[in-house]
Amino acid sequence: MKKETNNIPGTHLKIKDFPGNEKPVERLICHGANVLSDAELLAIILKTGRPGENVIDLSRRILSLSEDGSLWGLCDVTFEELKAVDGIGNVKAAQIIALCQLAVRIGMDKSFRKKQNISSIPQLGEFLVAEMKWLKTEVFRVVMVDCRWNVLNIVQISEGSVDQSVVHPREVFAPAVKSHAAGIVLAHNHPSGNPTPSSHDFETTKRLVKAGEMIGIEVLDHIVTGNNTFYSMHLNNDMTRLKRVINREV
């Protein structure tokens, strides 16, 4: 059921109808984007309001859907929740979802560029948490590094259900060979928020460690991300344990 708003006759509906000194686009041009409020920035994207409600007021109402009333908080709002708002149809809902995804991807790219030279596993874990925290389903990625821990590339291998991702060694090591990687770090997220590895996670890691030994590319770690935290199999000595089990089986 759509949320109700007061219809105010005569309210300006379009940005172009605002007084000159109140138009968000003109304010951005004259003073820079940093002076605009979140509602004004969102209004520039949406362009129009609804009968009885101008676009900035509509933007304020949309922002109230997030827990903290911020643009970033909109990343947790679903398409269906947006559609439930009066004045939001498929197009506007899609615009907002696209805006949020752009923000996430820009943040990921900026973070990646800053941290290509990663000197430690905790640093890599923090980077992966920031990159994967907004994912709604479980995905499996491979981080390829050289002998100095410079990140060569990050490749997504699979996207599965919330419970598991199916990973084939060929898909994991093919990009690593192409990138001339000295080693790889396996990474996946737990959308539940709990980064504790499952028995399936350990079995997958063991299988890939064995494959890596045959190919000559070491699996350095398997990092599982959760809500603002991560679990490193290397830091918890699981990698050493798994390699001992593999050696006994040979």
Side-chain angles (χ1 to χ4, degrees), residues 4-224:
E4 294 183 358
T5 58
N6 293 326
N7 290 333
I8 306 173
T11 300
H12 296 299
L13 302 182
K14 298 181 180 180
I15 287 179
K16 69 178 183 179
D17 296 325
F18 278 62
N21 61 347
E22 295 181 14
K23 292 181 179 179
V25 173
E26 279 71 11
R27 276 171 38 79
L28 184 152
I29 293 171
C30 294
H31 306 291
N34 60 314
V35 306
L36 271 65
S37 68
D38 287 352
E40 288 177 307
L41 291 170
L42 184 56
I44 291 175
I45 301 297
L46 297 179
K47 297 183 180 179
T48 61
R50 59 186 290 268
E53 184 177 38
N54 68 50
V55 65
I56 292 182
D57 288 338
L58 175 61
S59 297
R60 291 193 184 103
R61 195 153 52 86
I62 292 167
L63 288 168
S64 69
L65 293 175
S66 66
E67 290 186 4
D68 58 358
S70 70
L71 281 171
W72 192 253
L74 283 181
C75 291
D76 289 327
V77 179
T78 66
F79 186 86
E80 289 72 23
E81 288 172 331
L82 289 169
K83 283 287 300 295
V85 177
D86 257 353
I88 300 298
N90 287 335
V91 173
K92 279 186 168 58
Q95 287 173 323
I96 296 167
I97 295 295
L99 172 65
C100 292
Q101 185 58 218
L102 280 171
V104 170
R105 294 188 186 186
I106 289 170
M108 286 164 50
D109 185 63
K110 185 176 181 180
S111 179
F112 177 70
R113 291 179 186 277
K114 282 185 176 180
K115 295 197 172 184
Q116 281 186 316
N117 190 354
I118 294 172
S119 60
S120 67
I121 288 176
Q123 189 181 16
L124 176 58
E126 291 171 5
F127 165 70
L128 290 170
V129 167
E131 185 182 4
M132 303 174 79
K133 67 188 296 183
W134 301 107
L135 297 174
K136 303 299 184 184
T137 57
E138 187 171 306
V139 302
F140 194 98
R141 294 176 178 172
V142 176
V143 182
M144 285 149 277
V145 299
D146 64 17
C147 58
R148 295 184 179 180
W149 274 86
N150 291 306
V151 176
L152 302 173
N153 198 6
I154 300 177
V155 175
Q156 183 163 310
I157 301 301
S158 69
E159 179 175 357
S161 67
V162 171
D163 297 320
Q164 67 176 1
S165 290
V166 179
V167 180
H168 194 284
R170 179 180 60 251
E171 297 171 343
V172 170
F173 289 100
V177 171
K178 185 176 181 179
S179 297
H180 303 287
I184 63 172
V185 174
L186 312 175
H188 79 282
N189 63 311
H190 280 177
S192 66
N194 182 355
T196 304
S198 65
S199 58
H200 171 81
D201 295 335
F202 285 117
E203 284 301 315
T204 299
T205 306
K206 178 183 172 184
R207 181 163 52 92
L208 293 174
V209 167
K210 290 173 68 174
E213 289 180 347
M214 295 177 63
I215 296 172
I217 297 177
E218 184 179 4
V219 177
L220 302 167
D221 198 358
H222 188 164
I223 294 176
V224 185

